[in-house]
Amino acid sequence: MKIIEFFSSADKMRWLDEIRKSDWRAAEFLVQLIAENRVEATLGKETKLFILADGDKAAAFLTLSEKDCVDDPTLYPWIGFVYTYPEYRGNRYSGLLIEHAADEARRQNKKVLYICTDEIGLYEKYGFEYVENRADVWGGEGRLYRRLL
C-alpha cells in the first residue's frame, strides 16, 4: 500500500477513474468538484486528496482541506470525503489516511483537526472527540468532532 496525493500525481485521470468507482454520493460530488475545477473554491486552495493505493487500485481516500460543510472560518483544517472501498473495509485503512493527514496538518503547524459527520463511534477510534452538533451548508446538521494534534 502506498499513499498518493492526487493533485500532485502524474496520473490524475486514472485516480479520478478509481474514485468514480465508489458507490457513495459524496464521492460523486468530489469527482464533480475536480472535473469542474471547483475544488479550490469549495474546499480551499490548500486542499489535498490522499489516496491509499493498492497497486493500481484505490483502497481508500480522504481530503484535508481548509473548508468543509460547516461554514466557520475559525475551524480548520478539515478531514472530509473519508471513504474505504467495500473490499478493503475492516482493515482500518481510513486510519492510515487520517494519520497521514494529521501528520501533514502538523507540518503546517496546525493544532487541531476537524471532521463533520453523521457517524457515531467511528472517528473516536482515531482520536477525535465529539464537540457539538452544527448546521451544515446544505441546511442539515452534522456532528462536529475535533482531534488535538
Side-chain angles (χ1 to χ4, degrees), residues 48 55 73 87 110 123 140 142 147-148:
K48 297 188 180 299
E87 62 269 29
K110 305 303 183 204
Y123 295 101
R147 176 177 163 181
L148 300 178

Side-chain angles (χ1 to χ4, degrees), residues 44-88:
K45 65 181 179 176
E46 301 297 324
T47 299
K48 297 188 180 299
L49 168 54
F50 297 116
I51 300 168
L52 182 63
D54 180 11
D56 62 351
K57 288 182 64 176
F61 59 85
L62 62 69
T63 57
L64 176 65
S65 62
E66 297 158 63
K67 300 185 249 180
D68 199 74
C69 64
V70 172
D71 187 17
D72 185 337
T74 66
L75 305 178
Y76 68 93
W78 292 89
I79 294 285
F81 295 96
V82 181
Y83 182 81
T84 302
Y85 291 84
E87 62 269 29
Y88 292 98

